[in-house]
Amino acid sequence: MRVIAVEGATERELRRLVYGQPGTPTLVEYHCSDAEALAVADLVEEADDGAVDQNSSPLAGISLAARIPSRLTELALLVRSSPLIDALVIRGLPTGAISNIPTPAKHGDDRLLMGFELLALAIATLTGNPMGYSTQQSGRVINDIVPIQEDATVANASSGYLETFDFHTEDAFMGMPPNFIQLACVRNPTDAPVVLSGLAPMDVDPDVMAILRSPGFRVGVNPKQSGWSLAFPKDPRPVVEGSENRPRIRYNAADTAAVDGDAGGDALNSLRRVLSQNSVDLHLSDGDVAIIDNHRIAHSRSPYEPSFLGKDRWLLRIISFKDTEALESLLDHRNPNILRP
């Protein structure tokens, strides 16, 4: 996986992110200018002074998205539309008052939203329709990714921390997984990275790729999403789909199984090796926002050691869908931004 630093995002640099042939999965890194950081700081401060609850957050996110500096908007929209960008990290955004809030010790906090949370939601709105799950963190659209003591040894949950969270695409069990996952960093004192990886056209032997593209695999439901276990048909599906030049992945290393025995299992092992070889560590610092194409890029996280003194790793996770019409049967009739089994 390659990393491209876009400094200043001139018109010429933007053009090379739009035109060309897709190939190696690409992470674009952009550092905010001083002027952009100051403009966003004003927006975050204004939002900190407001009082927005979870139910009002989608409209507040849309309103704020219209006021984000134009270059940041262009980059977020390019992630949605360009075949040459598979992930984007915007660095140097101000976090405002949330930096003074202790890292949550549990999920389900019904606090009013802070300015940085609304900024993250506004950016996610540019990539699609942000959604939450009724079965996850009380239906919140903005999820807290924090260590939780009782989940310490849960290997494949974002609240675990003593075990590796292996490569996966977000909510791979879904009939239509989210198009994007966004991670906004409130703090990351141990510098635990998010590990990104993907497939280039020639990374996998053609015979192995043919197996991965066959409908011979089942993806299990995430440990924290058990309510969905009966919601979808268990018909086998491919692990890799899409064009030869831009393959898409639906994968969860912890719970993807081949239904046809050794050949499928060997193919999954080959995929896991390639993802490990192609991986890039994405180190997120306070105020960094990463947008990841969830159909192209798998992610993982290594173990880390929290202190539980209020300053532990805290990321905000938002999933978004380009099109929610196909999800209509799953929408909560009381809140169209929540999906239910």
Side-chain angles (χ1 to χ4, degrees), residues 127-239:
T127 64
N129 297 299
M131 305 292 289
Y133 293 105
S134 64
T135 52
Q136 190 174 58
Q137 299 199 25
S138 303
R140 291 186 57 175
V141 172
I142 305 172
N143 285 184
D144 292 318
I145 305 302
V146 296
I148 296 180
Q149 285 184 302
E150 56 262 37
D151 292 341
T153 58
V154 179
N156 296 291
S158 61
S159 52
Y161 50 88
L162 294 181
E163 304 290 340
T164 297
F165 194 164
D166 211 342
F167 279 114
H168 62 286
T169 54
E170 199 74 3
D171 304 323
F173 65 89
M174 292 284 289
M176 187 178 81
N179 293 95
F180 298 100
I181 172 175
Q182 179 178 289
L183 299 172
C185 182
V186 178
R187 62 178 62 100
N188 187 19
T190 62
D191 197 30
V194 177
V195 184
L196 305 181
S197 191
L199 295 181
M202 302 306 294
D203 281 343
V204 179
D205 179 88
D207 291 338
V208 174
M209 182 61 84
I211 295 173
L212 293 173
R213 287 182 174 276
S214 69
F217 304 90
R218 289 193 175 96
V219 180
V221 175
N222 302 347
K224 294 295 183 178
Q225 291 278 52
S226 59
W228 291 84
S229 58
L230 301 177
F232 298 112
K234 297 300 184 287
D235 295 338
R237 297 168 173 162
V239 167

Side-chain angles (χ1 to χ4, degrees), residues 60-93:
I62 291 171
S63 298
L64 190 58
R67 302 170 61 194
I68 293 173
S70 60
R71 188 61 80 202
L72 305 185
T73 299
E74 289 172 341
L75 288 167
L77 291 174
L78 277 175
V79 177
R80 179 184 174 121
S81 62
S82 172
L84 303 183
I85 306 177
D86 303 295
L88 166 71
V89 58
I90 301 172
R91 299 197 184 276
L93 292 167

Side-chain angles (χ1 to χ4, degrees), residues 10-30:
T10 64
E11 198 66 32
R12 181 178 179 181
E13 287 178 314
L14 289 178
R15 286 180 65 83
R16 72 187 175 109
L17 299 178
V18 177
Y19 301 104
Q21 293 299 316
T24 303
T26 299
L27 165 66
V28 172
E29 185 176 31
Y30 179 76

Side-chain angles (χ1 to χ4, degrees), residues 129 131 174-177 179 232 321-331 339:
N129 297 299
M131 305 292 289
M174 292 284 289
M176 187 178 81
N179 293 95
F232 298 112
F321 294 82
K322 287 184 178 180
D323 180 12
T324 55
E325 286 190 14
L327 301 170
E328 190 170 349
S329 64
L330 304 176
L331 297 180
L339 300 171

